[in-house]
Amino acid sequence: MRLRYLETGWALLPLRLLIGFGFAAHGYAKLSRGPENFGAILASLGVPQPQVMAWATSLLEFVGGLSLVAGAFVVPLSLPLALVMLTAMLSVHLPYGFSSVRLKAVTGSGAEFGPVGYEINLLYMVGLLALVLSGPGRLSVDLWLRQRRDAARP
C-alpha cells in the first residue's frame, strides 16, 4: 500500500506544499518589510550588490514558493531556491551549530531563544532534493502540462 502512494505521486504533496509555503512566506516578509531592509543585512554580510540581491532573493522566494505550491516549474526552481538556503546557511547560520531551536530562558513574558543554527536550511535543501528526484507529483501544474503535451503528440 505504501508503494502505491509513491507510484501515484501523492506521497510528496505535503512536502511540496509546505516547502513552497515556507519560501513564499519568507519572500513575502522580505517584500513587505521592504527589500532595502534586507539589502542592509546583505551589505553587512559583504554580499556584492546587496540591493539587487535583496530584490532578487525576495522575489525568488515569493514567486518560487508560490510556484512550488502550484507544482509549477518545480525542478528548475529547486536549484536557485537551494542556493538561497545554502548561502544563508554558510553566511549566517553555520557558526551557531545544527540546532534551529536554542532555548535561552523562559520568563514571565514567554520563551527567549538564541541564534538559529543551520537545521532548517538543511531540511529545506533535502526537501527540494526529494522533489527534484520524485518530480512534482499529483495536483501540479507540471503534471497537467506534461499530460497536455503528451496528449497532443501524434
Side-chain angles (χ1 to χ4, degrees):
M1 185 160 135
R2 184 180 59 184
L3 287 177
R4 191 181 81 187
Y5 287 110
L6 289 173
E7 292 167 1
T8 59
W10 290 103
L12 294 182
L13 178 63
L15 180 67
R16 192 188 82 219
L17 294 175
L18 184 60
I19 289 175
F21 177 80
F23 274 111
H26 285 275
Y28 177 78
K30 289 175 179 77
L31 290 168
S32 67
R33 292 182 190 126
E36 60 278 355
N37 292 324
F38 182 52
I41 294 168
L42 295 179
S44 71
L45 294 171
V47 172
Q49 299 184 355
Q51 293 305 319
V52 172
M53 293 306 294
W55 274 100
T57 301
S58 301
L59 289 171
L60 173 63
E61 286 182 350
F62 183 64
V63 174
L66 292 177
S67 291
L68 287 181
V69 168
F73 312 107
V74 171
V75 172
L77 281 170
S78 291
L79 179 61
L81 289 170
L83 288 174
V84 167
M85 286 293 104
L86 182 63
T87 302
M89 183 177 87
L90 295 175
S91 63
V92 177
H93 302 284
L94 195 63
Y96 302 113
F98 177 75
S99 183
S100 64
V101 177
R102 194 171 312 285
L103 183 63
K104 288 172 47 177
V106 178
T107 66
S109 60
E112 294 179 13
F113 297 95
V116 176
Y118 57 87
E119 178 180 4
I120 298 297
N121 303 101
L122 286 178
L123 286 170
Y124 270 92
M125 288 187 290
V126 169
L128 288 167
L129 178 61
L131 293 174
V132 166
L133 294 175
S134 69
R138 296 290 177 164
L139 292 178
S140 68
V141 171
D142 287 345
L143 178 63
W144 178 76
L145 290 172
R146 188 175 73 220
Q147 288 171 339
R148 279 191 66 190
R149 185 183 63 235
D150 291 349
R153 287 186 182 156

